[in-house]
Amino acid sequence: MTSRATPLSERQLERQRYRRRRTRTRAAIAAVSTVVVLGLVIAVVISSPGWDRVHATFFDWHDAKGSFPDVAKSFWLNIRLFLVVEVFVLVLGLVVAIIRVIPSPALAPVKLVAVLYTDIFRGTPTLLIVLLVGFGVPALELSGLPTSLFWLGVIALTLSYGAYVAEVIRAGILSVHPSQWASGRAIGLSYGKTLRHVILPQALRRVAPPLLNDFVSLQKDTALLSTIGLVESLRAAQVISGRDFVFTPYVVAACFFIVATIPLARLTDYLTVRSMRRESGF
Amino acid sequence: MTISTSRGLAAIAVLALALTAACAPTSDSDGGSASGAASASLSECEPATLPVVAKGTLTVATDDPAYEPWFSDNDPTNGKGFESAVAYAVADKLGFTKNQVKWTKAGFNQVIQPGKKNFDFDINQFSISAQRAKAVDFSSPYYSASQAIITLADSPFAGATSLADLKGAKLGAQIATTSLTAIDQIAPTTAPLVYDDTSKAGQALQNKQVDAIVADLPTAYYLTSAEITGGKIVGEFQPTKGEQERFGLLLSKGSALTPCVNAAVDSLNSDGTLTDLQNEWLTRATSVPELK
């Protein structure tokens, strides 16, 4: 942009001015439209006959302040769960995905297990897996299996999300053009080395946005672990809500989840845009 | 396809308005009386004049499943179990025959939500509290429950003789129950675990994920006899935090029916019917030691 051989033509300058004008007009219309629509929605909601009741039940400042410390304290458990599970999910997903794409016939039994695993755990509601692992595994009374609710919860969520993530990573690997495999092998790399140095870096970069999407989902699903007795933020809100018959604590808990999700969501957007730019050669 | 911007804006605005208008509830005359303290004279309460949700019928709600000994065989209509019997007794006092009582299912969250209810009253071991009474009406209490500690017979806590003996125990209870609040009285060293219902709490006890669970005494009888193999009631105690646990019928906030339901419960209390029903459905031969 700094040094230009020839000055821009009058026509090009006019074109640029026109585009800038158009951008400004479009931004203005978008802003006005947003304000009008949101304003109308808010006006209708606030003027509705039940608003006072809804306001007192869901948005009571006093109840919000009262429930904040308990919900905040237990949200720390959601964060710890999420951070631990995320690591396990990535490892499990990667292993399963690789097993499924390796063509070696000797691996047939392992591949069968991997296919069964993804089919079963991707097809079962996460809540069911949480209940089955949380209450079922300790009922086996096998020594060596964890009885700590934290680790049972980690196992349940890892099993469930590992299946999703394995499929996402496998899709990424399959999306890399076959010529990349051929090139890797042609320069003398082994199959494993081609996978590690040529294919996986491209595959993982491509699936970063959907992976992050799964992690946002995982972050929210830590709330499912309340069913096996863990007092995380949703359960902390439920306890107050059930004790006093108020619903504001739920809104407080929702805010925690939203605030924790937003950075991940923006990062996902950013990565999506970046990979789109790269793919189209900007 | 091209749409002019002004027309587009107008379309969006109309759409938004239509959507919100469709969602907005219609106005209802919901102001009315403040609390359930009022009581009418029973003679003023006639089925024909009572403001019930379905004319000529008393619609009573409870949760599904409905547990022993409050109900029997998960069938509230059979009149068996303490709460089923109480509901029919209240209906009888209000002048409804057994055939005019209609049962409906209502989950906890559905019941405690503000607004109009699709039942006349709900009977499901709802503990009365001043905080809760801001959201719903409660009738006069029809039962006062003590709390019980349940553990496994082979647990180190099975021989506890006082609440202090349970300090080191990992305790569990059902959400939104007085039992959960009553755990504060024991002041255990680890935070209590909270379960959706007593069945899940019982499962956790059997899995040894908790050392003991707290439930009201009749529920404890049911759990140890039907759900928890090797379960044992260590003892009972009266919750001292706040007031004693008393169960009330739950009505929508400011319900015009509350005074009549109060009159019916009060009358059942004074003529000894409630005590009879308790003896019939809740009291067992087993004696349970009192924990101090």
Side-chain angles (χ1 to χ4, degrees):
Chain A
M1 297 292 262
T2 43
S3 64
R4 233 179 252 283
T6 46
L8 293 172
S9 70
E10 193 48 41
R11 177 158 295 190
Q12 176 63 17
L13 287 173
E14 171 56 31
R15 221 176 261 140
Q16 287 182 349
R17 274 196 296 275
Y18 168 74
R19 286 195 184 128
R20 270 199 298 274
R21 261 201 321 273
R22 196 183 56 176
T23 308
R24 270 200 303 273
T25 325
R26 289 171 69 93
I29 291 172
V32 170
S33 163
T34 309
V35 168
V36 167
V37 171
L38 283 184
L40 272 174
V41 170
I42 291 171
V44 168
V45 167
I46 289 185
S47 66
S48 64
W51 170 246
D52 283 344
R53 206 163 61 197
V54 169
H55 184 254
T57 319
F58 290 92
F59 304 102
D60 186 279
W61 183 241
H62 178 257
D63 290 344
K65 269 202 304 200
S67 57
F68 188 86
D70 275 4
V71 176
K73 204 173 71 190
S74 35
F75 192 69
W76 174 231
L77 177 60
N78 294 76
I79 293 176
R80 279 183 298 156
L81 280 165
F82 161 66
L83 291 176
V84 174
V85 175
E86 186 185 343
V87 175
F88 284 132
V89 162
L90 260 183
V91 174
L92 180 66
L94 199 57
V95 169
V96 173
I98 289 174
I99 288 173
R100 288 193 67 176
V101 293
I102 291 179
S104 159
L107 279 176
V110 192
K111 286 161 89 76
L112 182 71
V113 172
V115 172
L116 278 177
Y117 162 71
T118 36
D119 281 359
I120 292 172
F121 283 90
R122 202 174 48 155
T124 316
T126 310
L127 177 60
L128 268 179
I129 297 174
V130 167
L131 285 173
L132 290 175
V133 173
F135 289 126
V137 169
L140 295 173
E141 293 187 30
L142 288 172
S143 60
L145 286 175
T147 50
S148 137
L149 285 173
F150 181 89
W151 290 106
L152 286 170
V154 166
I155 292 172
L157 288 183
T158 304
L159 285 174
S160 181
Y161 274 84
Y164 291 112
V165 166
E167 286 299 274
V168 168
I169 295 179
R170 190 168 73 101
I173 295 175
L174 294 180
S175 78
V176 177
H177 197 271
S179 63
Q180 297 292 314
W181 285 102
S183 322
R185 302 308 301 274
I187 58 169
L189 294 177
S190 69
Y191 187 90
K193 280 195 169 152
T194 311
L195 183 68
R196 207 174 103 208
H197 298 294
V198 180
I199 306 299
L200 275 183
Q202 299 184 60
L204 289 179
R205 206 172 296 141
R206 278 186 199 176
V207 297
L211 273 185
L212 285 173
N213 201 32
D214 275 347
F215 285 143
V216 170
S217 186
L218 168 67
Q219 200 162 313
K220 294 182 295 183
D221 274 357
T222 51
L224 292 177
L225 299 181
S226 60
T227 46
I228 57 171
L230 280 174
V231 184
E232 46 67 67
S233 54
L234 169 68
R235 185 44 56 99
Q238 272 177 336
V239 167
I240 303 166
S241 166
R243 186 188 63 206
D244 297 341
F245 288 12
V246 292
F247 285 76
T248 307
Y250 288 127
V251 178
V252 174
C255 289
F256 272 96
F257 279 103
I258 293 168
V259 168
T261 307
I262 284 173
L264 258 184
R266 287 293 81 78
L267 182 62
T268 313
D269 288 353
Y270 166 73
L271 288 177
T272 314
V273 170
R274 197 181 67 167
S275 79
M276 270 163 64
R277 283 218 181 100
R278 281 190 176 156
E279 302 269 309
S280 47
F282 279 111
Chain B
M1 192 176 94
T2 52
I3 299 173
S4 80
T5 43
S6 60
R7 205 180 283 179
L9 273 181
I12 292 173
V14 166
L15 193 71
L17 200 65
L19 272 177
T20 42
C23 300
T26 49
S27 173
D28 50 37
S29 49
D30 199 35
S33 64
S35 86
S39 181
S41 156
L42 259 186
S43 57
E44 297 163 24
C45 306
E46 292 281 324
T49 54
L50 281 177
V52 289
V53 292
K55 266 269 158 280
T57 332
L58 190 67
T59 313
V60 187
T62 194
D63 206 351
D64 184 24
Y67 289 107
E68 311 263 0
W70 311 104
F71 295 91
S72 180
D73 304 326
N74 192 22
D75 175 17
T77 62
N78 58 18
K80 292 180 184 168
F82 180 66
E83 292 194 329
S84 178
V86 168
Y88 280 111
V90 169
D92 182 57
K93 286 279 178 203
L94 293 176
F96 291 93
T97 66
K98 207 176 168 193
N99 295 332
Q100 288 170 312
V101 176
K102 195 178 139 260
W103 287 87
T104 175
K105 308 275 185 203
F108 184 82
N109 281 321
Q110 195 187 339
V111 171
I112 67 173
Q113 262 162 29
K116 282 269 174 283
K117 316 269 195 246
N118 60 353
F119 52 79
D120 293 317
F121 65 78
D122 188 309
I123 180 162
N124 190 29
Q125 303 123 61
F126 282 108
S127 311
I128 303 170
S129 86
Q131 257 292 347
R132 289 178 166 189
K134 286 184 192 163
V136 295
D137 270 7
F138 286 110
S139 74
S140 309
Y142 59 87
Y143 180 68
S144 304
S146 58
Q147 296 298 318
I149 310 266
I150 308 157
T151 185
L152 297 176
D154 58 3
S155 155
F157 295 98
T161 52
S162 72
L163 291 181
D165 290 349
L166 293 155
K167 263 196 186 312
K170 202 175 202 182
L171 297 167
Q174 185 192 339
I175 188 163
T177 56
T178 310
S179 313
L180 184 59
T181 326
I183 289 181
D184 290 354
Q185 241 165 286
I186 303 168
T189 45
T190 42
L193 296 165
V194 185
Y195 296 92
D196 291 330
D197 49 50
T198 48
S199 298
K200 289 207 185 77
Q203 184 63 49
L205 177 65
Q206 290 213 286
N207 286 341
K208 304 197 166 93
Q209 290 165 313
V210 289
D211 296 317
I213 58 176
V214 183
D216 51 65
L217 189 58
T219 304
Y221 283 132
Y222 168 67
L223 285 174
T224 47
S225 65
E227 288 204 358
I228 304 171
T229 22
K232 178 186 182 236
I233 301 179
V234 179
E236 58 165 320
F237 64 101
Q238 287 298 330
T240 50
K241 210 167 182 265
E243 44 206 320
Q244 194 199 17
E245 175 168 25
R246 295 168 312 148
F247 296 164
L249 306 176
L250 185 149
L251 300 94
S252 63
K253 183 75 191 155
S255 166
L257 206 62
T258 309
C260 279
V261 169
N262 276 341
V265 174
D266 292 343
S267 152
L268 289 172
N269 196 19
S270 54
D271 68 12
T273 314
L274 285 179
T275 317
D276 290 347
L277 292 178
Q278 266 177 51
N279 289 336
E280 186 177 356
W281 299 108
L282 299 182
T283 313
R284 303 281 169 93
T286 342
S287 69
V288 174
E290 177 102 18
L291 299 174
K292 294 276 186 244

